[in-house]
């Protein structure tokens, strides 16, 4: 029996408002940042001797896809809880879709799994949030300082680097199959998917 459930993947640069837009859809939201690898994982990529957390290789795409597949098949799954300030998974939690026909999986690396989710018939839609770069920089810095993700100096230098890299990030995400869209556009598209019975993306 084919499951009626499907996933909407929501990518975008760090700080672009993915979590906010995902919550505004009113659908269950799976945080893909919880699938980062632990800080002592020997497969983590490095740049200049430091772990490169901006690389997709710092993220466990295979586990994310398998959890999405479980959610679509069964409507629930145990998902990890990741503490970014500790660089590791600290717990797990039960994620239940209840009767929702769609759910959103959001994260900076969401576009990395668009092709595989489409191939498996799991995908309803895939979007990459775009917004003015200055607004994204300020939003990201405010969030990271409030959550004490790293020290202020590290967060500022990282923020400047991400500001410069943002156009390339969006190019990569759209190249992987995510459609560039502003927040309101994403909300309209999700509403249309629900109204149309969310046919799988081609």
């Amino acid at each position: 029996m084919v499951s009626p459930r499907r996933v909407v993947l929501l990518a975008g640069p760090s700080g672009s408002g993915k979590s906010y837009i995902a919550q505004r859809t009113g659908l269950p939201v799976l945080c893909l940042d919880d699938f980062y690898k632990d800080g002592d994982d020997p497969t983590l990529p490095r740049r200049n001797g430091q772990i490169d957390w901006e690389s997709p290789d710092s993220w466990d795409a295979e586990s994310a896809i398998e959890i999405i597949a479980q959610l679509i098949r069964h409507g629930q799954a145990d998902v990890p809880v990741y503490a970014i300030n500790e660089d590791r998974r600290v717990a797990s939690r039960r994620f239940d879709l209840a009767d929702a026909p769609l759910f959103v999986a959001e994260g900076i690396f969401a576009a990395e799994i668009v092709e595989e989710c489409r191939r498996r018939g799991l995908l309803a839609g895939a979007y990459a949030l775009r917004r003015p770069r200055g607004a994204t920089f300020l939003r990201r810095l405010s969030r990271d300082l409030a959550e004490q993700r790293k020290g202020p100096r590290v967060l500022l230098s990282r923020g400047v680097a991400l500001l410069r890299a943002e156009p390339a990030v969006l190019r990569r995400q759209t190249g992987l199959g995510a459609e560039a869209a502003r927040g309101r556009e994403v909300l309209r598209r999700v509403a249309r998917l629900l109204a149309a019975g969310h046919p799988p993306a081609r």
Side-chain angles (χ1 to χ4, degrees), residues 161-173:
L162 291 176
L163 176 68
R164 293 171 177 163
E166 189 168 314
V169 169
L170 275 172
R171 284 195 299 271
R172 176 178 175 82
Q173 292 178 347

Side-chain angles (χ1 to χ4, degrees), residues 2-9 72 101-103 114-127 177 189-190 192-202:
V2 177
S3 171
R5 306 181 193 93
R6 292 293 183 271
V7 66
V8 174
L9 294 175
I72 286 174
L102 290 177
F103 67 101
V114 169
E115 182 178 349
E116 182 62 15
C117 286
R118 180 178 286 117
R119 186 187 71 80
R120 295 195 190 190
L122 310 175
L123 189 67
Y127 309 101
R189 283 164 171 75
V190 170
R192 284 201 293 267
L193 284 169
L194 286 167
H198 61 85
R202 298 177 181 176

Side-chain angles (χ1 to χ4, degrees), residues 29-39 59-60 63-64 67 77-96 147 149:
V29 178
L30 177 66
C31 178
L32 293 177
D33 285 355
D34 284 326
F35 292 88
Y36 270 107
K37 297 176 182 178
D38 286 349
W59 186 69
D60 190 349
S63 292
I67 290 294
D78 290 326
V79 303
V81 177
Y82 195 95
I84 290 178
N85 60 343
E86 298 182 36
D87 295 337
R88 66 185 182 92
R89 298 180 185 188
V90 295
S92 64
R93 65 184 178 91
R94 196 67 171 169
F95 187 82
D96 194 331
E147 296 179 5
R149 294 189 170 197

Side-chain angles (χ1 to χ4, degrees), residues 41 48 58 78 84 101 173 179-180 200:
D41 190 315
N48 300 323
S58 68
D78 290 326
I84 290 178
Q173 292 178 347
E179 178 186 354

